[in-house]
Amino acid sequence: MAQSGKRVLISAPGKVILFGEHAVVHKKLAVAASLGLRTYLHLEENETGQCRLHLPDVDIDLTWLLSDLSLSIDLKTLETGHPMDIPEEIKQQLENWMGVTTREAQRQAVLAFLYLFFVLKTDKPTSFGFSINTRSTLPVGAGLGSSASFATCIATALLVLFNHIPTGFAQSEKKDSYLDTINRYAYKAEQVIHGNPSGLDNSVCVFGGALSFRRGEGFVPLEGFQSLQLLLTNTKVPRSTSALVAGVTAKKEKYPNVIDPILDSIDKISLRCCEAFKSDSKADLAQELEDLVDINHCLLHALGVSHSSLEKVRTITGEYGVKTKLTGAGGGGCALSIIRDDVNVETTNSVAQKLAGEGFDCYRTSLGGTGVNAVILIDDSLDQAWLINADRETLEAHAI
Ligand SMILES: Nc1ncnc2c1ncn2[C@@H]1O[C@H](COP(=O)(O)OP(=O)(O)O)[C@@H](O)[C@H]1O
Ligand SMILES: C[C@@](O)(CCOP(=O)(O)O)CC(=O)O
Ligand SMILES: [Mg+2]
């Protein structure tokens, strides 16, 4: 295949919400940190006149002639509203290019890409073409922010491809302003995928680290944050973030006097967590986080976003004195367990083994690492096939 121009490896972390999921959609405080697990995107500019979108995690491999990708209305002129508040005829045109993408996961991913493509594209010669391949070490649709991590990578790739930001944005003096731009478009892609995202997930995936976040105000780095030992358990029960978020909103509208105090309590949990990180005593911090984890989970249960599989994880970890809450949208997906420093390795291994015996996947990964990054690929062997086949350690070593 003819090849010229940019070859870039972009990556963005997933996230874990320690406290405040769902409440954050309704302007309550949340606390979250980036994860060691990341999404990787291989971007290659070529001279095929085509665009290839290869998303093996959701079984998508689509190629379009770029000359065919044109809309009757310029989407840039509609950029200010919600991405899906676009005329029906435009939605229909976008749907037509999706072909037989029957699963919701596929539709959301392709639609997010097409939307950003039309908003960010600039004039190019007719021979201009490109391919995008992605691969995530995050479980997709399990509460660890795969959507925001994917959205961040796609937004970055298209911003770099169409020269809105330089490939070396992460090393630039204007890094903060470039990251703000990436965050703005990643949020738009999240809106396509989720409907009504708070903006917490994309902020963590773009900026990395640990932070507290309030919708409308943005984020503040978490003062005194120290990496925690967490065990993440994926129940593998599928669920939809957009449906769960809509469910909580409907409950809040139907029973405001009942639901609002629950959301206020969650706000206070996040505030208390921020205070706890400032404390000098590590033992006090662990004790307090454990209490807050327990209370936050029960409040989320009351909001209707737990699941029998998540309750099972709580029962199993509870037998070893380990505290657990759901993380992300819930309804299945992942739970996080706090592993205190005085919990020995044998105990953690026993818990993980017991959870695996139930068919759950367990992850031990670091918290608070780098946000989005882009690396120019010089070595020709680091091609699309390499991205799809490389192990996690190899990808991490090349991406950050
Ligand atoms: N690696 C990926 N490739 C393509 N699409 C992805 C990828 N990761 C996430 N997505 C998109 O994000 C959706 C999952 O988002 P969501 O339900 O919010 O779960 P999560 O908790 O993982 O963010 C998928 O259905 C898909 O549309
Ligand atoms: C439920 C929510 O608070 C987090 C959703 O996270 P995830 O998509 O399940 O990883 C929604 C949001 O903040 O937009
Ligand atoms: Mg998501």
Side-chain angles (χ1 to χ4, degrees), residues 41-363:
L41 184 153
H42 189 284
L43 168 69
E44 189 169 288
E45 199 179 328
N46 56 40
E47 291 181 345
T48 59
Q50 295 180 337
C51 155
R52 178 181 180 202
L53 182 67
H54 185 206
L55 312 175
D57 294 332
V58 291
D59 296 324
I60 284 288
D61 195 354
L62 291 168
T63 301
W64 301 282
L65 261 180
L66 279 168
S67 55
D68 285 348
L69 288 184
S70 76
L71 288 174
S72 52
I73 296 176
D74 185 355
L75 275 195
K76 289 189 187 82
T77 60
L78 303 174
E79 224 198 284
T80 46
H82 190 288
M84 289 299 97
D85 285 344
I86 50 177
E88 269 314 310
E89 60 181 286
I90 301 287
K91 265 193 224 161
Q92 197 49 56
Q93 273 181 287
L94 296 178
E95 295 276 346
N96 291 345
W97 285 313
M98 275 193 255
V100 280
T101 50
T102 48
R103 276 165 37 210
E104 198 49 26
Q106 300 177 321
R107 281 194 68 259
Q108 291 172 334
V110 178
L111 204 56
F113 166 78
L114 284 174
Y115 176 80
L116 286 189
F117 170 79
F118 281 109
V119 168
L120 293 172
K121 78 187 176 90
T122 52
D123 287 340
K124 292 278 189 186
T126 48
S127 60
F128 168 78
F130 67 95
S131 72
I132 281 178
N133 280 257
T134 66
R135 148 111 188 269
S136 196
T137 56
L138 288 156
V140 174
L144 300 184
S146 78
S147 62
S149 180
F150 170 73
T152 301
C153 286
I154 289 284
T156 307
L158 292 170
L159 285 162
V160 164
L161 184 70
F162 291 112
N163 300 320
H164 299 287
I165 63 171
T167 310
F169 65 86
Q171 290 74 42
S172 159
E173 275 177 8
K174 293 201 273 176
K175 176 178 176 177
D176 288 348
S177 139
Y178 293 137
L179 292 183
D180 282 340
T181 304
I182 295 172
N183 202 26
R184 198 164 69 244
Y185 288 100
Y187 180 68
K188 285 181 185 297
E190 271 277 82
Q191 284 181 302
V192 175
I193 294 171
H194 274 210
N196 181 20
S198 63
L200 166 66
D201 288 10
N202 48 283
S203 299
V204 180
C205 297
V206 170
F207 292 91
L211 48 89
S212 63
F213 176 95
R214 191 184 296 279
R215 191 173 191 173
E217 291 177 16
F219 70 89
V220 180
L222 196 58
E223 204 183 314
F225 171 75
Q226 36 192 281
S227 199
L228 297 166
Q229 256 208 88
L230 290 185
L231 185 68
L232 296 172
T233 304
N234 185 359
T235 63
K236 297 198 261 185
V237 172
R239 84 299 173 280
S240 148
T241 299
S242 56
L244 288 150
V245 167
V248 172
T249 303
K251 265 208 176 88
K252 176 174 155 54
E253 274 162 17
K254 187 163 181 196
Y255 309 107
N257 296 343
V258 178
I259 300 299
D260 287 346
I262 297 179
L263 301 178
D264 283 336
S265 287
I266 296 178
D267 184 79
K268 300 295 178 294
I269 289 174
S270 297
L271 272 174
R272 185 85 195 210
C273 164
C274 295
E275 289 308 313
F277 271 108
K278 293 180 200 159
S279 117
D280 292 334
S281 156
K282 227 178 161 196
D284 288 352
L285 172 69
Q287 172 66 58
E288 195 146 331
L289 291 181
E290 282 190 336
D291 290 344
L292 296 175
V293 156
D294 218 23
I295 302 168
N296 197 168
H297 179 84
C298 293
L299 293 172
L300 286 162
H301 197 337
L303 292 177
V305 295
S306 189
H307 183 269
S308 54
S309 60
L310 291 163
E311 296 307 316
K312 193 177 232 173
V313 178
R314 269 172 59 81
T315 306
I316 293 172
T317 55
E319 284 163 13
Y320 294 83
V322 171
K323 299 292 185 194
T324 298
K325 72 178 265 293
L326 70 87
T327 186
C334 285
L336 72 81
S337 306
I338 302 262
I339 308 294
R340 281 191 321 268
D341 282 353
D342 59 339
V343 173
N344 60 40
V345 182
E346 290 76 36
T347 306
T348 316
N349 288 343
S350 303
V351 179
Q353 243 168 35
K354 194 139 186 212
L355 292 166
E358 293 291 335
F360 302 144
D361 284 347
C362 289
Y363 301 88

